[in-house]
C-alpha cells in the first residue's frame, strides 16, 4: 500500500468529492465536507478509509494533504457554490508540520480560510501545548473555523474544549445509531453533547444519518445539524452545486463562513 500511495502521490492521482451537511431546522444545505478519493489505474475511485491509516503511519499523509488543499483551492475557484463553507479533515501530522503555514501563504490560500472549517479528532486535543494546537489557533485567527470530529470516541476534557471552543461538535455516528435503537445511553450522550455544545457556544452535528429512524431521533433530540447518506450522498463538486441550487443555502451557514 505504501508503494501504491507513493505512486499515486507522484501522479497526483487524488481528487475531492463532497458530502452536504444540512441544517435540519431549515432543510437546507449548511456546509459540505471535502472527502479525499484516490483515482486507481482503472479510473475507479477509492475512498480514504482504504488507505488513510497507512498514509498516517508512513508520513505520506502530509504530501496527500498538500494535494488535497491544491484541489480544494481549484474547486473553490470553480465548481463549488459561492459562499458555501467547506469542512476539511486535517491530521495531527499535518497540523504539527511547521511548514504548513508557509505552504498556505505560498499557495495563496490564506484568503480562503474564512470559507474553511478544519475538522480534527479528539486525539489532537490531548496535547494542548502542541504545535498542532498552536497551528489551529493561528488558523482560527485568520478566519478558519474548527470542528471536533467523531466526538465521543476520544478523550477530550472540558478544560481543553473550553480552551479550543470549537465551532462544531460532530457526534460520532455510533451514538446516532444507539439512540435510534431506543438505547438510553445513546440518547443521553447525544443530549449531553447538545448541552455541552450550547455551553461552549458551538453547534452540534450528528454524523452518519443513514436511515429515516436516525433522522427522526436526531430531530427529536433537537440536534440542529446532520450529515449522512440519508440526507446527501458523496458527490463531485458539480453535483454538489446542483444540490445547493435545489435546496438553497441555510441562513445559519453565514455563522460558519464568517
Amino acid at each position: 500500500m505504501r508503494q501504491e500511495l507513493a505512486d499515486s502521490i507522484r501522479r497526483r492521482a487524488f481528487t475531492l468529492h463532497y458530502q452536504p451537511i444540512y441544517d435540519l431546522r431549515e432543510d437546507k444545505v449548511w456546509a459540505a465536507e471535502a472527502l479525499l478519493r484516490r483515482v486507481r489505474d482503472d479510473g475507479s475511485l477509492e475512498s480514504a478509509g482504504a488507505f488513510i491509516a497507512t498514509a498516517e503511519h508512513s508520513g505520506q499523509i502530509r504530501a496527500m494533504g498538500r494535494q488535497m488543499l491544491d484541489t480544494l483551492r481549484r474547486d473553490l475557484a470553480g465548481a463549488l457554490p459561492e459562499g458555501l463553507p467547506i469542512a476539511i479533515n486535517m491530521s495531527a501530522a499535518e497540523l504539527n508540520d511547521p511548514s504548513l503555514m508557509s505552504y498556505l501563504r505560498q499557495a495563496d490560500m490564506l484568503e480562503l480560510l474564512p470559507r474553511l472549517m478544519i475538522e480534527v479528532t479528539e486525539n489532537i486535543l490531548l496535547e494542548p501545548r502542541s504545535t498542532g494546537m498552536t497551528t489551529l489557533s493561528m488558523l482560527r485567527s485568520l478566519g478558519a473555523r474548527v470542528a471536533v470530529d467523531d466526538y465521543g470516541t476520544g478523550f477530550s476534557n472540558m478544560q481543553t474544549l473550553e480552551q479550543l471552543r470549537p465551532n462544531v461538535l460532530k457526534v460520532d455516528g455510533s451514538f446516532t445509531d444507539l439512540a435510534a435503537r431506543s438505547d438510553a445511553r445513546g440518547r443521553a450522550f447525544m443530549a449531553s453533547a447538545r448541552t455541552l455544545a450550547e455551553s461552549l457556544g458551538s453547534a452540534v452535528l450528528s454524523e452518519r444519518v443513514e436511515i429515516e429512524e436516525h433522522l427522526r431521533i436526531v430531530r427529536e433530540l433537537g440536534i440542529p445539524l446532520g450529515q449522512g447518506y440519508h440526507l446527501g450522498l458523496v458527490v463531485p463538486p458539480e453535483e454538489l452545486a446542483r444540490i445547493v441550487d435545489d435546496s438553497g443555502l441555510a441562513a445559519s451557514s453565514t455563522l460558519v463562513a464568517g
Side-chain angles (χ1 to χ4, degrees), residues 36-182:
L36 192 65
R37 296 290 184 262
R38 183 165 75 107
V39 184
R40 304 185 65 132
D41 291 340
D42 62 2
S44 63
L45 298 180
E46 183 177 55
S47 66
F51 57 80
I52 203 70
T54 299
E56 289 182 344
H57 181 73
S58 66
Q60 293 166 307
I61 189 70
R62 290 189 291 274
M64 288 167 48
R66 299 290 171 90
Q67 291 190 20
M68 178 179 181
L69 289 170
D70 286 343
T71 302
L72 178 61
R73 179 183 56 187
R74 291 194 297 270
D75 287 350
L76 285 169
L80 289 176
E82 184 69 27
L84 178 69
I86 301 295
I88 61 171
N89 293 277
M90 296 196 83
S91 68
E94 292 173 272
L95 289 169
N96 282 313
D97 184 350
S99 67
L100 175 62
M101 295 305 298
S102 295
Y103 167 78
L104 292 174
R105 290 189 191 92
Q106 292 169 3
D108 293 326
M109 287 205 65
L110 294 184
E111 63 185 28
L112 299 176
L113 289 177
R115 290 278 307 273
L116 303 185
M117 182 165 66
I118 311 300
E119 291 193 6
V120 297
T121 61
E122 289 182 79
N123 290 336
I124 197 170
L125 306 182
L126 295 176
E127 301 178 16
R129 294 189 251 328
S130 67
T131 300
M133 286 292 284
T134 301
T135 301
L136 271 181
S137 296
M138 292 177 65
L139 292 172
R140 289 196 70 164
S141 70
L142 293 168
R145 304 307 194 253
V146 174
V148 175
D149 198 13
D150 301 328
Y151 179 70
T153 62
F155 306 96
S156 61
N157 57 62
M158 186 62 190
Q159 181 180 0
T160 306
L161 286 173
E162 178 72 23
Q163 175 190 348
L164 182 63
R165 286 195 170 272
N167 299 90
V168 177
L169 285 182
K170 297 186 71 173
V171 178
D172 186 73
S174 60
F175 295 102
T176 307
D177 192 52
L178 278 175
R181 290 191 275 115
S182 300

